Amino acid sequence: MKGTSYKNKQFVLLGMTFLSVAGIAGCSKVELAQSTVTLELGDELSENVADYLQNPDEKILKGASLDLSAIDETKVGSYNAAIAYDGKNYPFTVEVKDTTSPQCEAKDYIYMQPGTLTMDDLITEIKDASETSSGIVSCEQKDDLVVCDYDDMLQEKAAVDNAEPHDGADYQESVQLDDEGCYEVTAQVKDSEGNFTDITLNVYVDGTAPELAQNVIDLDVDASGISIGDINTDDAEKIADMLHELPDFTDAEWAVASDAFCQDNKISYEFEQKSFNLQKENPVEVLNVHCTVQDQAKNENEADYEVTVTYIGLDVEALLEKTGLIMQISDVTANDKKSGKSDNKSGTTNTQNQLSQASGKSNADNLGMTDDEMVAMLQSMTPDEMDAFLNSVAYGSTTDNNVQVSGYYDNNMAQEVFDLTNQERANNGLSAYSWDSNMASYSDRRAKEIVTDYSHNSAGGNWSVGENIAEGETSASEVVNDWMNSAGHKANILSDVSTKTSVSCYVEKFTYADGSTQYLYHWVQNFTH
């Protein structure tokens, strides 16, 4: 140091030494990073001392402690905090603020029936650190529904912004939308600090249900893949389920829907079997199909249709042989079907019995002809002509208002047939049938059906059920005797496969103007495993 005295040199040296010591001490000096720390409501304060100091050394970090005990992170406010080090406190302030608008999960559009629209319909979830209030702040109809497009609706997105504040006094929890149309609706969510979020979306109001039209009337199903021979006797009833699982069957679109607005209607189907005719080469099932259609606004419509399903390639003979179930009417011609039997104890013909019963007299002579003449006349008739003639004699003309027809079930007769059936089985060394209470209502239905359709066309209501039917016999003993004298009926009664039976007797009562009455009995006996 040129031109400097010794004393001055010593001062400088001491100064340098002082500065050097001060520099060492400065490495341990506590310096706060900031005097005020801002915390957003809902966030968490750091508990790491280093986050509150400016360039701290390792010694300070090891010796300093952080005091945040006075701070409530869940409430907006100003709080005192401090760092303690080497016996001294270094205070700072923590400001808890709420500057964040509420977050909302809202629908992009709403498609609804006429009715009440609520905030819960509009907004599904609200997230905010403080308490919130919300409400519908505006609702205006934009367009008539007829000019709106369903596909355009599906592409819409709700508008979310923070542009226009509203006073809480304007909030509505719900609005009533009774007229069809497109409405623009705005809802607002506001927190306790005044931060808000607006949601604007379109609401489509539709009160018109879709229309249904039958799409399938006849359906052919390939059933050749079902091998009857591979099915155990005990599993025979599962064939119905197997048929109904065929792809062409389950994928059938029984009906189509039309809707003026919605293009995404859901159609569901339920079906029940009305009949299953095993007597044909290709079994035919008739289904009652109940269709329900619903649009996306949940407007709903229903309709019932009848569908005929033909199962092509199903081995009917093998099925009957496998199940041991037979459907038998009687061993008579179509012209004799009204009596349901081929002969009787009196030795008179079926037609004579019918005409005699109808006229209230003992034989056909009372009709002004001999038995042979009557039989010849009837044999010359077509089945339809035969039915018309018998009806006119037995029941009066179909236009005769002087005849009142009613009907009832005779449970005592049905029980007697059941008892006599089991007596026949006992006589042949077979175990008794048990009464099938689940099938009894089905037999009742069948007994009434054969009044107008004397056939097994509806035996498929429970298609794995064997069946005997008869018409005209006036007692249980008479009908069982007739069945036992018919090979097919007898096979059902003495089956070694069937284990259960049910019987129904439906009686038609004809009341004439003169007070006289006549009765016609209809018999059904069903068999199953």
Side-chain angles (χ1 to χ4, degrees):
M1 295 183 178
K2 187 174 181 180
T4 303
S5 65
Y6 171 77
K7 183 180 287 188
N8 287 339
K9 287 183 179 179
Q10 185 180 36
F11 175 79
V12 172
L13 179 62
L14 289 173
M16 292 180 64
T17 303
F18 172 78
L19 289 175
S20 177
V21 172
I24 295 173
C27 290
S28 297
K29 184 179 179 180
V30 174
E31 294 184 34
L32 295 173
Q34 50 191 347
S35 60
T36 300
V37 175
T38 301
L39 177 70
E40 184 67 24
L41 184 67
D43 292 344
E44 294 183 357
L45 275 172
S46 171
E47 296 182 357
N48 186 355
V49 175
D51 292 336
Y52 300 91
L53 298 176
Q54 185 170 354
N55 301 320
D57 60 26
E58 188 173 341
K59 182 178 179 181
I60 293 176
L61 294 179
K62 289 182 177 180
S65 61
L66 180 64
D67 182 7
L68 303 174
S69 60
I71 300 172
D72 186 348
E73 298 171 330
T74 66
K75 294 182 180 179
V76 172
S78 180
Y79 302 92
N80 294 322
I83 293 175
Y85 176 70
D86 196 21
K88 293 182 180 181
N89 282 336
Y90 299 88
F92 60 94
T93 301
V94 175
E95 295 285 349
V96 179
K97 296 183 177 182
D98 184 3
T99 62
T100 304
S101 297
Q103 294 182 353
C104 305
E105 291 188 11
K107 297 182 179 178
D108 291 322
Y109 61 87
I110 292 178
Y111 179 37
M112 61 177 282
Q113 296 179 15
T116 303
L117 177 71
T118 69
M119 278 297 298
D120 289 340
D121 299 323
L122 294 166
I123 298 177
T124 57
E125 187 173 349
I126 299 172
K127 296 180 180 179
D128 196 81
S130 64
E131 293 185 0
T132 61
S133 58
S134 60
I136 299 171
V137 293
S138 68
C139 177
E140 296 180 358
Q141 184 170 354
K142 293 173 55 179
D143 294 304
D144 292 333
L145 192 63
V146 293
V147 301
C148 297
D149 185 82
Y150 181 79
D151 291 331
D152 289 345
M153 179 192 76
L154 300 180
Q155 304 301 316
E156 291 177 355
K157 298 295 181 182
V160 180
D161 59 50
N162 310 99
E164 186 178 355
H166 293 271
D167 191 280
D170 298 333
Y171 290 177
Q172 299 179 72
E173 176 59 30
S174 64
V175 291
Q176 191 70 22
L177 302 178
D178 293 327
D179 297 327
E180 289 189 342
C182 176
Y183 297 79
E184 184 177 85
V185 178
T186 298
Q188 185 173 92
V189 180
K190 184 185 294 185
D191 65 22
S192 58
E193 296 303 304
N195 305 296
F196 65 88
T197 300
D198 290 333
I199 309 278
T200 301
L201 54 85
N202 286 334
V203 177
Y204 295 82
V205 179
D206 182 0
T208 306
E211 295 293 329
L212 276 169
Q214 185 165 7
N215 190 44
V216 171
I217 298 175
D218 298 305
L219 185 66
D220 291 339
V221 172
D222 182 6
S224 59
I226 296 180
S227 177
I228 304 300
D230 296 337
I231 301 173
N232 296 326
T233 301
D234 294 340
D235 295 334
E237 295 184 10
K238 294 181 180 179
I239 297 177
D241 294 333
M242 296 172 65
L243 291 174
H244 293 167
E245 290 173 359
L246 294 172
D248 289 344
F249 184 81
T250 56
D251 292 343
E253 294 181 357
W254 307 106
V256 292
S258 59
D259 192 289
F261 179 70
C262 182
Q263 304 302 310
D264 189 20
N265 302 294
K266 295 181 179 179
I267 304 178
S268 60
Y269 307 102
E270 295 179 355
F271 57 83
E272 66 174 2
Q273 198 176 63
K274 180 179 179 182
S275 66
F276 191 101
N277 192 338
L278 279 172
Q279 308 295 76
K280 297 184 178 181
E281 178 181 356
N282 292 316
V284 175
E285 181 177 36
V286 178
L287 298 174
N288 288 326
V289 181
H290 181 74
C291 300
T292 302
V293 62
Q294 187 180 83
D295 64 22
Q296 296 302 310
K298 300 192 182 306
N299 296 298
E300 193 170 277
N301 206 351
E302 297 178 313
D304 291 294
Y305 304 111
E306 187 174 274
V307 179
T308 300
V309 183
T310 302
Y311 293 98
I312 299 172
L314 185 66
D315 190 342
V316 179
E317 292 185 4
L319 175 60
L320 290 173
E321 181 180 354
K322 176 69 69 172
T323 61
L325 299 174
I326 304 172
M327 295 181 208
Q328 286 292 325
I329 300 176
S330 58
D331 302 329
V332 296
T333 64
N335 287 345
D336 295 326
K337 78 156 192 163
K338 280 291 178 182
S339 71
K341 40 183 184 172
S342 56
D343 52 42
N344 56 62
K345 292 181 180 179
S346 66
T348 58
T349 66
N350 297 325
T351 305
Q352 285 173 314
N353 285 332
Q354 184 70 17
L355 297 178
S356 177
Q357 181 187 44
S359 64
K361 301 177 182 180
S362 59
N363 55 54
D365 293 337
N366 293 293
L367 296 174
M369 64 183 74
T370 66
D371 290 350
D372 290 341
E373 289 173 337
M374 181 186 66
V375 170
M377 177 192 71
L378 294 175
Q379 288 178 341
S380 67
M381 295 180 176
T382 66
D384 289 342
E385 291 172 338
M386 172 71 172
D387 281 348
F389 175 74
L390 291 178
N391 284 335
S392 67
V393 176
Y395 314 137
S397 169
T398 55
T399 60
D400 188 353
N401 294 326
N402 294 324
V403 181
Q404 294 183 348
V405 182
S406 58
Y408 62 90
Y409 290 99
D410 193 325
N411 294 328
N412 291 332
M413 285 282 204
Q415 181 64 44
E416 190 174 348
V417 169
F418 175 72
D419 294 338
L420 290 172
T421 295
N422 278 333
Q423 183 60 54
E424 293 292 347
R425 290 180 65 81
N427 294 343
N428 287 273
L430 298 170
S431 59
Y433 279 134
S434 60
W435 180 267
D436 192 335
S437 57
N438 293 327
M439 195 165 55
S441 60
Y442 169 72
S443 297
D444 284 345
R445 190 192 86 191
R446 290 287 299 122
K448 199 168 185 179
E449 283 178 345
I450 65 172
V451 171
T452 55
D453 183 8
Y454 190 75
S455 71
H456 292 293
N457 287 341
S458 190
N462 193 337
W463 78 274
S464 61
V465 174
E467 183 174 271
N468 288 344
I469 64 175
E471 193 174 70
E473 290 86 345
T474 58
S475 69
S477 58
E478 186 179 5
V479 72
V480 172
N481 182 66
D482 285 348
W483 281 342
M484 288 299 293
N485 285 315
S486 165
H489 298 84
K490 182 178 180 179
N492 277 342
I493 291 174
L494 301 183
S495 171
D496 58 358
V497 177
S498 300
T499 59
K500 295 180 288 187
T501 188
S502 62
V503 183
S504 182
C505 175
Y506 182 75
V507 185
E508 281 186 291
K509 179 181 178 181
F510 302 90
T511 304
Y512 297 91
D514 61 3
S516 61
T517 57
Q518 294 175 347
Y519 300 87
L520 183 60
Y521 291 78
H522 308 268
W523 308 84
V524 170
Q525 184 173 33
N526 292 120
F527 307 86
T528 190
H529 301 306

